[in-house]
Amino acid sequence: MPKVLRVAVPPLVAAVVAAGAAPLPAQSTGLRAQVEQYVATNQKAIVGELVELVSIPNVAADRENIRRNTAWLQAALARRGFRAEVLETAGNPLVYGEMRVPGAARTLLLYAHYDGQPVDPPQWKQPGPFTPILRDGRLEDGGRELPGLGTRERFEPDWRLYARSASDDKSPIVALCAALDALKAAGLAPTSHLRVVLDGEEEAGSTSLTAAIGRHREKLSADAMLILDGPVHPSERPTLVFGARGNLTFNLTVYGPKFALHSGHYGNWVPNPAMRLAQLLATFKDDSGRVLVEGFYDGLEPLRAEEQAMLDAVPDDPDQLKRLFGVSAAESPDRSLQEGLQMPSFNVRGLASAFVGANARTIIPDRAEAAIDVRLVKETPAAAILDKVRAHIRKQGYQIVSEDPDDTTRARYSKIVKLTVRGDGTNAYRTSPLLPVSRQLAEAMTRVFGDPPVRIRTSGGTVPIAPFIEALGFPAISVPTVNFDNNQHGENENLRLGHFFRGIVTVAAALSM
Amino acid sequence: MPKVLRVAVPPLVAAVVAAGAAPLPAQSTGLRAQVEQYVATNQKAIVGELVELVSIPNVAADRENIRRNTAWLQAALARRGFRAEVLETAGNPLVYGEMRVPGAARTLLLYAHYDGQPVDPPQWKQPGPFTPILRDGRLEDGGRELPGLGTRERFEPDWRLYARSASDDKSPIVALCAALDALKAAGLAPTSHLRVVLDGEEEAGSTSLTAAIGRHREKLSADAMLILDGPVHPSERPTLVFGARGNLTFNLTVYGPKFALHSGHYGNWVPNPAMRLAQLLATFKDDSGRVLVEGFYDGLEPLRAEEQAMLDAVPDDPDQLKRLFGVSAAESPDRSLQEGLQMPSFNVRGLASAFVGANARTIIPDRAEAAIDVRLVKETPAAAILDKVRAHIRKQGYQIVSEDPDDTTRARYSKIVKLTVRGDGTNAYRTSPLLPVSRQLAEAMTRVFGDPPVRIRTSGGTVPIAPFIEALGFPAISVPTVNFDNNQHGENENLRLGHFFRGIVTVAAALSM
């Protein structure tokens, strides 16, 4: 078993386990050992299945290859005993599977996506993003290509598979299949009825997915959803994620004179839109990082002690992050990263007005623009925040317009700002980590790995399936498995095989909770 | 005489004179009539001399043609009885002339420049910028080319001569020569000893000019300098200008993380440099346009009643300007344009941070930049203002650096701004309009034109000869003559001939004060 442990668990986790984990309960130690043994014995077949899947191009717009993916996935699910089918949508189809388990009292909906980010092949240090290669380490750390990917029997945990969707999000699908195979080989069955839905448009916004609920509500209903997507915490410890912030993006354009004016001839008389924009933005946030929009934090309750403890237990390394980022202090020095992520943010993501640097001219610019994104939490939906932002801007004396102002508007209002919103925003979702299903999942992982997983109450980024989660109306929890440094969305996406193998154990634990 | 008046004076001024001017003193009415009569009779020769001069290319870097200009100018001055010479400098030479007038008790230094702005010939709607053409009106208003420039005997006041330096600044030199010729024809002499200095590098910063003082202090000394350059007030009325604001430009760069970060993963924890820059800029100015830098207005005294009356008498049309610019109110609604120009300004001339619009990304930018220009007045020299700006920034908790911060600096200071200053700035100059020479000049123009000139206490823009004025140490007053809409510095520079002819009267009045 120690040998297997070394193979399946990356060093950091092994260190944690070795350092002071509670003794493992016999049954779960058994589960872990059984799955690890299965994986160790079947590495060639498991990696082979993943290689086969990532070899099928999966850019959402490539309809022909999308169909090759769905056919492959339907067959893969059917081999595991799912009643599998392809559900048509207005866009790319969903692959769906259902497995009834005698005696199970709970139904889990397992979500993953089979489409991948667009690719720029010349940027890849390999024949192509859909021609997987194996490296003996991380490319950026000098990892070299290992020949014979298709014929190898054994794979070291530090080796990496390089291909589009190796991490995001095909390996979780293969991990699910392997976990079911491993349970079956051990004579075990999942403890829940299973429904699987594989999304073909996640990287394009998952719009068809949410729309599919109307036609397939029964198929998509469950007691809880497990999202098999995303990387584990940067500490590389097994992780559960209970929510994600939403996002609302908008642009502000403050108007000055109709055309840029000589700053000498008119400076101190014609209002300067760049200064006005700065003054307006400054009203949004105080020096301690608190957003000053009235009602911005409405609905946020103080965290319960157990939730606070959960945040405090996340093994972030703020000093290491600060060194990495070159900042000496957090925006609110008393607020931890995890605490910050429980709150909505107000982020100036871009500024523009006339020119800076060598091109700067002594002018009063005609306009100044700011691009904003507000990260939302569950208590602060996009529509309500937008109303409050509008009210805040009006309170600063601004007339809000939606188009460039005409002469009449310019003559009427001294402070004019154009507010343009991109879409309706994406709301946050959050499943209470205190719910029974949340506790059961965390406990199952604790039993299997000996240590509680990192529990992320709200992750900072936004997931396109938040509307799907909201529309389904039952708890959703992410069970990430892949390495954090996977170059997801970029070129040279990769999967550390140690994470992949441990992910199979993670999924098996979830299926056995 | 009414006929001559119509020829020499543009409609706006004629209207003012007709509407309610005091009766002209006999002597000066005589001077005006005499000069106008001379101009009317000698239009062909006067325009011919200007056409000859503007046909010689005069970009400061074109050394060969610069020498053709200096030879022409030296000869032109010599023909008027100046002891004329070419003064060598480290750059382009100065053309210098001296005329002693028996009985004169005052020496005037007359300044003009013979170099012109760089040209982009394809942009000109004529064979070239140094191939002058005549139009029957303003190009932008449909003015058409009139053939036979070289053979015409008479020129209408609304006709325009199109060529580089037609307005800026060769016609004032020809106007000076013509004024001297007209006085001579009337049997009159200037009332001052005259020194003329013609600068060959004004459009390139006039650096050799100021340096020349050391070698030629005696030649350049006088009781007052008259600057024959610039357009009259937009009302087109005869104008005197007693000062110009200076300028100090600098860039501010506020630093965030070393590289742009995902705004979801780190928003609310890693400080945002765009918001910080906005907050910093907002500390510089209150909502009423007052600059909040401590000591920014130090030394500014309340205006004397006569100075205030002078500002109030400037025939600006704020409502027309606001309509033109599309702004409903001035930055400080109670402050007139002329009042604003008596004070230093703080102008944000550019902003940049990451991207806005379609390219915007949900990131925390790594930096945010602002380009600033401060227009200076006489009481607020560049060096002192820069010190105060630095102190103000430090008071906001910022560490000021002059290069991108290294890791040590980043680790040490939470708020870091790079301040880079372009050059040393250019100081303002101002000659009190209450000085005897200022009054004498205004009175001479009032006598000649019947109405007081528009007196500009401080013009908003910055002139490169301010250091020259400062170094000379005696009063300097601008006597502009050319039309405001002359496309100076751009393509299709032009001179309205009515302004040119009136300008000869203006210069004659100044020489006779």
Side-chain angles (χ1 to χ4, degrees):
Chain A
M1 201 196 83
K3 187 166 183 295
V4 176
L5 182 81
R6 274 199 300 278
V7 172
V9 181
L12 250 171
V13 176
V16 169
V17 171
L24 303 185
Q27 188 202 344
S28 289
T29 310
L31 177 66
R32 178 177 180 174
Q34 285 168 313
V35 175
E36 286 177 346
Q37 183 58 49
Y38 176 86
V39 170
T41 311
N42 294 279
Q43 277 191 358
K44 184 179 183 182
I46 295 168
V47 173
E49 197 165 14
L50 177 57
V51 166
E52 208 176 285
L53 181 54
V54 295
S55 299
I56 310 173
N58 66 341
V59 177
D62 178 358
R63 297 301 161 95
E64 192 179 325
N65 277 310
I66 285 293
R67 289 283 164 186
R68 291 178 58 210
N69 279 281
T70 58
W72 190 98
L73 292 164
Q74 185 182 5
L77 291 183
R79 280 201 298 280
R80 274 74 189 190
F82 283 94
R83 191 162 57 73
E85 60 185 311
V86 171
L87 303 181
E88 297 301 331
T89 73
N92 289 342
L94 306 172
V95 179
Y96 178 78
E98 192 162 341
M99 182 187 288
R100 303 286 301 171
V101 179
R106 181 207 291 123
T107 300
L108 293 178
L109 177 65
L110 304 168
Y111 169 92
H113 65 92
Y114 66 86
D115 67 316
Q117 279 278 318
V119 291
D120 184 9
Q123 299 294 315
W124 289 66
K125 306 277 186 220
Q126 65 196 65
F130 303 110
T131 306
I133 66 163
L134 193 66
R135 290 188 188 274
D136 65 0
R138 193 164 166 258
L139 173 66
E140 292 82 351
D141 297 334
R144 287 162 311 171
E145 184 174 351
L146 295 170
L149 171 57
T151 56
R152 288 185 182 271
E153 300 287 334
R154 308 284 306 165
F155 296 85
E156 293 296 325
D158 277 337
W159 293 359
R160 292 179 184 227
L161 185 73
Y162 277 79
R164 169 59 80 226
S165 294
S167 265
D168 180 23
D169 180 39
K170 284 181 166 176
S171 68
I173 300 172
V174 176
L176 168 63
C177 292
L180 286 164
D181 293 344
L183 289 178
K184 191 175 178 184
L188 297 169
T191 54
S192 309
H193 303 300
L194 301 182
R195 289 173 166 161
V196 176
V197 61
L198 304 178
D199 184 1
E201 287 182 342
E202 200 263 359
E203 304 294 6
S206 290
T207 46
S208 302
L209 177 69
T210 309
I213 297 177
R215 270 207 281 174
H216 305 291
R217 183 167 288 281
E218 174 51 33
K219 285 190 163 79
L220 297 171
S221 67
D223 296 300
M225 174 160 74
L226 301 187
I227 301 158
L228 306 180
D229 194 8
V232 296
H233 183 265
S235 65
E236 303 297 3
R237 284 176 48 190
T239 304
L240 293 177
V241 181
F242 294 93
R245 289 201 288 191
N247 197 11
L248 169 68
T249 62
F250 55 91
N251 281 339
L252 296 174
T253 305
V254 171
Y255 293 86
K258 285 165 79 170
F259 38 87
L261 294 176
H262 191 290
S263 70
H265 296 158
Y266 298 105
N268 269 3
W269 195 68
V270 170
N272 179 307
M275 176 54 88
R276 288 235 166 128
L277 176 66
Q279 291 170 325
L280 177 60
L281 291 176
T283 66
F284 274 91
K285 220 168 181 181
D286 71 15
D287 202 43
S288 72
R290 187 168 176 82
V291 177
L292 301 173
V293 173
E294 196 178 322
F296 196 75
Y297 301 108
D298 277 3
L300 272 83
E301 303 279 345
L303 296 174
R304 295 194 197 180
E306 190 178 348
E307 292 173 306
Q308 182 64 50
M310 194 182 304
L311 302 188
D312 295 344
V314 174
D316 291 329
D317 185 343
D319 291 333
Q320 192 265 336
L321 287 177
K322 282 186 239 170
R323 271 195 306 277
L324 178 66
F325 300 154
V327 300
S328 75
E331 187 179 32
S332 307
D334 296 336
R335 187 198 286 160
S336 74
L337 173 57
Q338 294 302 321
E339 286 166 346
L341 301 182
Q342 311 311 311
M343 304 163 68
S345 70
F346 184 93
N347 181 60
V348 182
R349 59 190 182 138
L351 288 177
S353 184
F355 305 98
V356 300
N359 291 322
R361 303 175 197 174
T362 46
I363 54 170
I364 300 171
D366 66 334
R367 67 184 62 202
E369 297 181 64
I372 309 293
D373 69 90
V374 172
R375 295 287 171 170
L376 305 161
V377 295
K378 194 174 179 184
E379 294 80 0
T380 63
I385 287 287
L386 188 58
D387 284 347
K388 287 166 186 171
V389 165
R390 286 182 185 279
H392 177 83
I393 292 172
R394 289 200 185 96
K395 211 183 295 174
Q396 314 310 317
Y398 276 88
Q399 175 69 16
I400 300 175
V401 297
S402 53
E403 302 287 341
D404 286 351
D406 59 15
D407 287 353
T408 310
T409 305
R410 284 177 167 277
R412 190 159 165 198
Y413 304 106
S414 76
K415 292 184 172 177
I416 301 172
V417 64
K418 181 171 73 175
L419 171 68
T420 51
V421 187
R422 195 159 171 189
D424 299 323
T426 300
N427 283 333
Y429 83 91
R430 192 174 70 240
T431 295
S432 170
L434 309 181
L435 287 181
V437 68
S438 304
R439 294 185 189 280
Q440 289 158 12
L441 181 57
E443 285 159 9
M445 286 178 66
T446 308
R447 280 197 305 275
V448 165
F449 289 110
D451 243 14
V454 175
R455 284 185 293 171
I456 302 293
R457 184 176 182 262
T458 305
S459 69
T462 302
V463 294
I465 60 162
F468 181 63
I469 296 169
E470 197 172 25
L472 289 175
F474 48 79
I477 305 165
S478 283
V479 185
T481 54
V482 305
N483 45 301
F484 184 73
D485 57 356
N486 64 19
N487 295 350
Q488 163 183 347
H489 291 202
E491 57 269 17
N492 304 310
E493 180 177 343
N494 66 84
L495 170 70
R496 184 175 172 279
L497 293 179
H499 280 75
F500 178 47
F501 298 147
R502 187 184 68 179
I504 297 169
V505 181
T506 299
V507 174
L511 298 180
S512 310
M513 73 171 161
Chain B
M1 201 197 82
K3 187 167 181 293
V4 176
L5 182 81
R6 273 199 302 277
V7 172
V9 181
L12 250 169
V13 175
V16 168
V17 171
L24 304 183
Q27 186 204 345
S28 289
T29 309
L31 177 65
R32 178 177 180 174
Q34 285 168 315
V35 176
E36 285 177 348
Q37 182 58 49
Y38 176 85
V39 170
T41 311
N42 294 280
Q43 278 191 357
K44 185 179 181 181
I46 296 168
V47 173
E49 197 164 16
L50 177 57
V51 166
E52 209 176 284
L53 181 54
V54 295
S55 298
I56 309 173
N58 66 340
V59 176
D62 176 359
R63 298 300 161 96
E64 191 179 325
N65 277 309
I66 284 294
R67 289 282 164 188
R68 291 179 57 211
N69 278 281
T70 58
W72 191 98
L73 292 164
Q74 185 180 6
L77 291 183
R79 280 200 299 279
R80 273 77 191 190
F82 284 94
R83 191 162 56 71
E85 60 184 312
V86 172
L87 303 181
E88 297 302 329
T89 73
N92 289 340
L94 305 172
V95 180
Y96 178 79
E98 192 163 341
M99 182 188 288
R100 302 287 301 172
V101 180
R106 180 207 291 125
T107 300
L108 292 178
L109 178 64
L110 304 169
Y111 168 92
H113 64 93
Y114 66 86
D115 67 318
Q117 279 278 316
V119 291
D120 184 9
Q123 299 294 316
W124 289 66
K125 306 279 187 215
Q126 65 195 64
F130 303 110
T131 306
I133 67 164
L134 191 67
R135 288 186 189 275
D136 64 0
R138 193 164 166 256
L139 174 65
E140 292 82 351
D141 298 333
R144 287 162 312 173
E145 183 174 352
L146 294 170
L149 171 57
T151 56
R152 288 185 182 269
E153 300 288 334
R154 309 283 305 162
F155 297 83
E156 294 296 326
D158 277 337
W159 293 359
R160 293 181 183 227
L161 185 73
Y162 277 79
R164 168 60 80 227
S165 295
S167 265
D168 180 25
D169 183 39
K170 284 182 166 176
S171 68
I173 300 173
V174 177
L176 168 63
C177 292
L180 287 163
D181 294 342
L183 290 177
K184 189 173 181 188
L188 299 168
T191 54
S192 310
H193 302 300
L194 301 183
R195 288 173 167 162
V196 176
V197 61
L198 304 177
D199 184 1
E201 287 182 344
E202 198 264 359
E203 304 294 5
S206 290
T207 45
S208 301
L209 177 70
T210 309
I213 296 176
R215 270 206 284 175
H216 305 289
R217 183 169 289 280
E218 174 52 31
K219 285 192 164 76
L220 297 171
S221 66
D223 297 299
M225 173 160 73
L226 302 187
I227 301 159
L228 306 180
D229 194 8
V232 296
H233 183 264
S235 66
E236 304 296 2
R237 285 178 46 190
T239 304
L240 294 175
V241 180
F242 294 93
R245 291 200 287 191
N247 198 12
L248 169 69
T249 63
F250 55 91
N251 281 339
L252 297 174
T253 304
V254 171
Y255 293 86
K258 285 166 80 172
F259 39 87
L261 294 175
H262 192 290
S263 70
H265 297 158
Y266 298 105
N268 270 0
W269 196 68
V270 171
N272 179 309
M275 175 56 88
R276 288 233 167 129
L277 177 66
Q279 290 170 328
L280 177 59
L281 291 176
T283 66
F284 274 91
K285 219 168 182 182
D286 71 14
D287 201 43
S288 72
R290 187 169 177 82
V291 177
L292 301 172
V293 172
E294 197 177 321
F296 196 75
Y297 301 108
D298 276 4
L300 272 82
E301 302 281 345
L303 295 174
R304 296 195 195 178
E306 190 179 347
E307 291 173 306
Q308 183 65 49
M310 193 182 303
L311 301 188
D312 295 344
V314 175
D316 290 329
D317 184 343
D319 292 332
Q320 192 265 336
L321 287 177
K322 283 186 236 170
R323 270 195 307 277
L324 178 66
F325 299 155
V327 300
S328 74
E331 188 179 32
S332 307
D334 295 336
R335 189 197 285 159
S336 74
L337 172 57
Q338 294 303 322
E339 286 166 347
L341 302 182
Q342 309 312 312
M343 305 162 67
S345 69
F346 183 93
N347 181 59
V348 182
R349 60 191 183 135
L351 289 177
S353 184
F355 305 98
V356 300
N359 292 324
R361 303 174 198 175
T362 46
I363 54 170
I364 299 171
D366 65 334
R367 68 184 62 203
E369 296 181 64
I372 308 292
D373 70 270
V374 172
R375 295 287 170 170
L376 305 161
V377 295
K378 193 172 180 184
E379 294 81 0
T380 62
I385 287 285
L386 188 58
D387 284 348
K388 289 168 185 172
V389 165
R390 286 182 185 279
H392 177 84
I393 293 172
R394 289 198 184 97
K395 211 183 295 176
Q396 313 312 315
Y398 277 87
Q399 175 69 14
I400 299 175
V401 298
S402 53
E403 301 287 341
D404 287 352
D406 60 15
D407 287 352
T408 309
T409 305
R410 284 178 167 275
R412 189 156 166 202
Y413 305 104
S414 76
K415 292 183 172 177
I416 301 171
V417 65
K418 181 172 72 175
L419 189 156
T420 51
V421 187
R422 195 158 172 187
D424 299 323
T426 300
N427 283 335
Y429 84 92
R430 192 175 68 241
T431 294
S432 170
L434 309 182
L435 287 181
V437 68
S438 305
R439 293 182 190 280
Q440 289 157 10
L441 181 57
E443 284 158 11
M445 284 178 66
T446 308
R447 279 198 305 276
V448 165
F449 290 109
D451 243 12
V454 174
R455 285 185 291 171
I456 303 294
R457 183 175 183 263
T458 306
S459 68
T462 302
V463 295
I465 61 163
F468 181 62
I469 296 170
E470 198 172 22
L472 289 175
F474 49 80
I477 305 166
S478 283
V479 184
T481 53
V482 304
N483 44 301
F484 185 73
D485 58 354
N486 64 18
N487 294 351
Q488 161 184 349
H489 290 204
E491 56 268 17
N492 305 310
E493 179 177 345
N494 66 84
L495 169 70
R496 185 176 171 280
L497 293 180
H499 280 75
F500 177 47
F501 298 147
R502 188 184 69 181
I504 298 169
V505 182
T506 299
V507 174
L511 299 182
S512 309
M513 72 171 164

